[in-house]
Amino acid sequence: MKTNARKAILFILVAIFLYSGYQLALYLYDGYKSNQLNDRMRQQIEASQLTPLENSGDEQGELTAEQIKQQYQARFHRLHEINSDIVGWLRIENTSIDYPVLQSNDNDFYLNHNVDKQASRRGSIFMDYRNTSIRDDIHTVIYGHHMKDGSMFGELAKYKDAAYYREHPMITFESIEEATAWEIFSVYIYSPDDQFFAYEFADQQDYEAYLQKIIDKSRYPTGVSVSSDDQLLTLVTCTYEVSDARFIIHAKRVL
C-alpha cells in the first residue's frame, strides 16, 4: 500500500511538473508570436511615408485638413489589410510602448485576441468601444494588459515613480486622420472602492469636477495645468496592490 501511495504521489508530482512546463511553453510562445506580430506592424508603419506633421509644407504652402487625412489613411492602408479594426498607433518615446491600437464593438474581444484576431493571453492594446474619434471625443480610453515581461502596458507601472514620469511625460497617438501629442498630468491606482471613473460628462461643470478629482488623486504633482477646454486621454492597465485594481494614467492633448 505504501509503495502504491508513493507511486500515486510521484505520478501527481510529475503531472503537475509537465502541466506547468506546458503552460510556461504556451506563455513563452504567445509572447514570441505577439512580439513577431507587433514587429511586423512597426515595419509596415515605418515603411510608409513621413507623417504630415514632419512634411507639412510644400511649395504651395500648408496642406489642407483633407490632404492630411488622405495621407494618414494611405499611411495606415497596409495595416488595414492585416486588420481593419486598427484605429491608430500609440507610442511613448524611449519605452517599449509602441503598438497598434485596435477597437471592437465591445471591450472583451481584444482582451484575449491579438492583431491577427487569434486567441492570445496578451490580447492587444485597444480603445474603448464607446469612443468614436480621438479628434472629437472629450475622453478617449485605451486599455492593455500588464504583462510580467514588460510587454503591452507592463511598462506603465514604472510611472509609479515620479522620476520615471519626468523622463517620459509625453504620449503620442497617431490616428488614421492625424498625429496627436498628449502630456501626462495624473497617475494613480484606482481601486474598486473608488467608483468615480467616467467616460462621458453631463456638462462643462461635471467635466471640470472630474478633472479636479483625478488631479487630486495623482500619486505625485506634475505641475501640468488642465481645464475643461482640454481633451483627455486615459491609459488603463491592471495593478496588484489590491484585488481588481487598475493603474491609470491621464494626459491632456497638446497637439
Side-chain angles (χ1 to χ4, degrees):
M1 292 293 293
K2 291 183 179 180
T3 300
N4 289 337
R6 283 196 293 268
K7 287 181 177 179
I9 292 172
L10 179 61
F11 176 80
I12 292 171
L13 291 175
V14 169
I16 292 173
F17 175 79
L18 292 175
Y19 179 77
S20 298
Y22 172 72
Q23 291 297 318
L24 177 60
L26 284 180
Y27 176 82
L28 293 175
Y29 177 71
D30 186 51
Y32 169 78
K33 190 173 182 180
S34 177
N35 289 335
Q36 291 290 101
L37 280 171
N38 288 314
D39 286 345
R40 179 157 59 106
M41 300 291 105
R42 291 187 194 100
Q43 290 172 5
Q44 294 284 12
I45 199 77
E46 290 170 1
S48 58
Q49 299 176 358
L50 293 175
T51 68
L53 289 181
E54 297 168 312
N55 188 23
S56 59
D58 54 28
E59 293 179 358
Q60 285 72 42
E62 294 293 321
L63 294 174
T64 66
E66 183 59 29
Q67 287 173 321
I68 291 174
K69 182 177 179 180
Q70 290 173 359
Q71 286 198 25
Y72 272 97
Q73 288 174 339
R75 182 168 167 79
F76 277 86
H77 177 70
R78 289 184 180 180
L79 297 186
H80 283 160
E81 289 180 338
I82 298 169
N83 189 334
S84 61
D85 286 345
I86 295 173
V87 294
W89 196 280
L90 183 75
R91 182 179 291 108
I92 300 179
E93 291 296 331
N94 300 315
T95 76
S96 63
I97 297 172
D98 188 11
Y99 294 106
V101 178
L102 288 294
Q103 187 180 40
S104 183
N105 57 6
D106 58 44
N107 284 343
D108 297 322
F109 184 78
Y110 283 113
L111 276 173
N112 51 24
H113 288 82
N114 61 28
V115 178
D116 274 345
K117 295 188 177 183
Q118 297 176 341
S120 169
R121 296 182 181 183
R122 295 164 189 264
S124 300
I125 304 301
F126 66 96
M127 183 180 292
D128 193 280
Y129 73 97
R130 285 162 284 204
N131 285 122
T132 56
S133 168
I134 200 162
R135 169 184 288 180
D136 302 321
D137 291 347
I138 191 67
H139 187 191
T140 300
V141 183
I142 298 177
Y143 308 92
H145 282 306
H146 177 176
M147 302 307 297
K148 292 180 180 179
D149 63 3
S151 64
M152 310 313 286
F153 273 179
E155 198 164 345
L156 289 185
K158 294 181 179 181
Y159 278 98
K160 294 173 184 178
D161 183 352
Y164 186 83
Y165 156 75
R166 288 191 292 270
E167 293 175 357
H168 309 85
M170 300 298 297
I171 301 168
T172 60
F173 183 89
E174 189 175 347
S175 75
I176 60 173
E177 297 178 332
E178 61 183 349
T180 62
W182 306 75
E183 186 175 15
I184 297 169
F185 67 88
S186 180
V187 171
Y188 59 90
I189 295 168
Y190 184 88
S191 75
D193 296 331
D194 285 326
Q195 298 295 317
F196 66 80
F197 194 89
Y199 299 89
E200 299 176 330
F201 309 95
D203 51 36
Q204 185 174 1
Q205 288 184 332
D206 186 32
Y207 185 43
E208 287 176 349
Y210 183 74
L211 290 174
Q212 190 58 54
K213 185 172 291 186
I214 62 179
I215 290 170
D216 294 340
K217 183 74 172 175
S218 185
R219 292 172 65 92
Y220 43 79
T222 61
V224 179
S225 60
V226 187
S227 76
S228 59
D229 294 328
D230 291 313
Q231 289 176 275
L232 180 63
L233 174 67
T234 298
L235 307 185
V236 181
T237 192
C238 292
T239 191
Y240 305 103
E241 286 79 359
V242 296
S243 177
D244 203 29
R246 299 291 182 268
F247 188 59
I248 294 181
I249 292 175
H250 295 294
K252 72 169 189 176
R253 184 170 176 175
V254 294
L255 181 65

